[in-house]
Amino acid sequence: MNLKCFLLSSVTALVAPTYARAATSLAEPELAEYARVCDAYGAGFFYIPGSETCLKIGGYLRFDAHTGGDSYGFKDRDSYFVRSRADLTFDTRNETEFGTLRSFIELRYNYDNGENARTVQLNNAYIELGGFRVGASDSRFGSWTGYLGMFVDDDVIQDAHDVTNQVSYTLAVGDGLSAFIGAEQGGQGFEVEGYMPHTVGGVKFEDAWGRIAAVAGYDARSEEWAAKVRLDVDFSDSVSAWVMGGYKSDGDEYKNNYYGTWHGDFAVWGGVAAQLSEKATFNAQVAYEDDGTNAAALNLAYEIVPNLTITPEINYTSFGGDRGGFVADGQTDAFEFVIRFQRNF
């Protein structure tokens, strides 16, 4: 009897923990579903758990320090001008019977010099389905031809306005050819009056050698128009160049035309980029407007480690025409030195 009791006690002691662990396991909640990689739209996208919608979260952190003259001519600078920026983007996409459904949001936070200079901007907030787009984004008069060079002060001679509410449709014709037409509300004092919107449209051809793009816009408020043509050429994997020209109908009234943002009848821009090594890229840009102002910029973008780039830059502006009359202290030219740190993610 003593031996029997001993054996039963031993078996019970061995089996009981197993049942206890099983009971505990049954009571535990299921682990949350891990996010799956979505490779349909490029790197960085993942499926939102429980859906077939792909999401990419990205952005950058940036620090700019300016010294010397003001290349835009707006400030009588006797010290540093410093800006810190946080930029956050949310890109969601999924396929539908009408094509890709996309929504894109970009939030931008600036801190300029002191605590009274905080600004928050909604830089993008639009929906796309197939070729249709509705929402807020940079005017397509600028984004269609492509942005100016990779500079801190790239738009001393401005080629387009930035964020505006808009509706547009882009048609991919095929073989590198595409076209779009759109309606825009305008902004920064150029908002439409009444029900007639500003209208804009363009065509583009892209191939292995580069691309050529043209765009035209009609300001419904002032009943004036402007147009631009741009050529980009890739000479090799490491060297590229571009040139762009713009013309508007009311060159004497630069504040009167939403699409003609330069002074005078016409303006020209050009630039070159050369990748000197795996980490270093040299950029140069020049611009001229018919009213008499010239602008030039040079920089060297150096990637210290992946996704962290330091960019020293020098800018020169020779003011003329209308600009020569309103720049700070009546200065005729300005040399500006800039250093930028940017961490992308």
Side-chain angles (χ1 to χ4, degrees), residues 135-153:
S137 188
D138 288 345
S139 170
R140 305 215 67 181
F141 189 77
S143 61
W144 180 256
T145 51
Y147 295 101
L148 301 176
M150 301 298 292
F151 291 89
V152 179
D153 291 354

Side-chain angles (χ1 to χ4, degrees), residues 11 28 64 92 112 123 128 177 180 234 245 257 277 292:
V11 171
E28 289 178 351
D64 293 340
T92 59
D112 295 352
N123 234 46
E128 290 180 333
L177 183 64
F180 90 97
D234 297 324
N257 189 330
S277 68

Side-chain angles (χ1 to χ4, degrees), residues 63-65 150-152 280-283 297-304 309-315 336-342:
F63 176 88
D64 293 340
M150 301 298 292
F151 291 89
V152 179
T281 302
F282 170 78
N283 298 286
L298 297 172
N299 72 25
L300 182 68
Y302 186 81
E303 189 177 51
I304 302 172
T309 302
I310 180 173
T311 306
E313 177 174 309
I314 182 171
N315 298 284
E336 183 176 40
F337 304 91
V338 188
I339 186 74
R340 166 173 288 178
F341 295 86
Q342 180 163 320

Side-chain angles (χ1 to χ4, degrees), residues 11-63:
V11 171
T12 301
L14 291 172
V15 174
T18 303
Y19 280 106
R21 286 194 298 271
T24 302
S25 178
L26 290 173
E28 289 178 351
E30 295 183 3
L31 294 176
E33 179 184 357
Y34 288 102
R36 295 176 292 141
V37 173
C38 173
D39 56 8
Y41 307 109
F45 284 90
F46 61 90
Y47 286 100
I48 298 174
S51 76
E52 292 302 312
T53 299
C54 298
L55 169 65
K56 180 179 181 179
I57 301 173
Y60 62 82
L61 294 176
R62 176 185 291 173
F63 176 88

Side-chain angles (χ1 to χ4, degrees), residues 276-294:
L276 306 180
S277 68
E278 291 184 358
K279 292 181 174 292
T281 302
F282 170 78
N283 298 286
Q285 176 176 301
V286 294
Y288 171 78
E289 61 186 7
D290 179 42
D291 195 44
T293 295
N294 298 272

